[in-house]
Amino acid sequence: MTSQERAKLKSKAYNDYNNCSVEAIAKTCNVDMITSFVACKNAGRRHNCAAHRMDIVRAARSLGVKVTNRKYDSNIMNHRSTARSLPEILSTGRHLVFTCNHVFALNHGTIDDWCAERMNRVTNIYTITGYQTKKDVPLYEADYDELLI
């Protein structure tokens, strides 16, 4: 089973298909999907709706990671970087990468998303540092039931 098939099953289980921000936060912050759903909901994301860029950054920060805006250097701007060319440029670290209407995770030079081979133009890149192991992330057990409502 590929990761995209797993993501579709998770989306179907939560009845939420517009969840690229939830998947990106789960992958970059090294948390499970439920914790990411709750963090996004607390940051202002509505169920089955897209999230704003700063809501996504706020949700990632609420999980205890440091999120910094990566300024484009001239090398990247000369290329007008796209989702396809970005792994060659940013081969280390964890990043939240924003396009015009999508966000995806770039972890150590690999994109595990449907847009990996597309020419989507990158608009913002945020670098994630200080991510935790999954056992160190606080669980929001009280909020799990609210997700299913």
Side-chain angles (χ1 to χ4, degrees):
M1 180 180 290
T2 66
S3 61
Q4 291 176 354
E5 291 171 346
R6 275 180 288 180
K8 284 182 182 179
L9 287 175
K10 290 176 185 175
S11 297
K12 188 175 181 180
Y14 295 120
N15 194 22
D16 191 348
Y17 294 94
N18 195 4
N19 60 357
C20 61
S21 56
V22 175
E23 290 182 28
I25 289 174
K27 291 174 185 173
T28 54
C29 297
N30 199 25
V31 297
D32 61 347
M33 287 287 285
I34 295 174
T35 305
S36 182
F37 266 115
V38 173
C40 287
K41 181 181 178 185
N42 292 341
R45 179 185 179 270
R46 293 185 317 219
H47 184 72
N48 209 15
C49 292
H52 296 285
R53 181 173 46 94
M54 289 314 296
D55 290 341
I56 297 169
V57 171
R58 194 176 311 118
R61 286 185 178 144
S62 72
L63 292 173
V65 298
K66 183 179 178 187
V67 182
T68 54
N69 191 359
R70 180 184 173 90
K71 301 293 182 188
Y72 286 114
D73 58 352
S74 61
N75 185 23
I76 294 177
M77 282 307 285
N78 286 343
H79 291 161
R80 293 289 184 203
S81 59
T82 61
R84 185 187 298 179
S85 65
L86 204 59
E88 300 167 1
I89 300 166
L90 297 173
S91 60
T92 59
R94 293 176 176 249
H95 307 279
L96 281 172
V97 181
F98 291 85
T99 62
C100 179
N101 55 0
H102 188 59
V103 60
F104 59 91
L106 174 66
N107 292 333
H108 306 292
T110 59
I111 299 174
D112 187 19
D113 197 63
W114 60 266
C115 70
E117 293 299 320
R118 306 271 176 117
M119 297 294 287
N120 297 350
R121 183 188 234 172
V122 173
T123 57
N124 289 87
I125 302 172
Y126 286 86
T127 303
I128 305 293
T129 54
Y131 57 91
Q132 304 168 343
T133 61
K134 287 191 179 185
K135 65 178 182 174
D136 295 334
V137 176
L139 295 176
Y140 300 103
E141 292 179 13
D143 295 327
Y144 285 170
D145 295 333
E146 294 178 15
L147 286 174
L148 303 175
I149 295 174

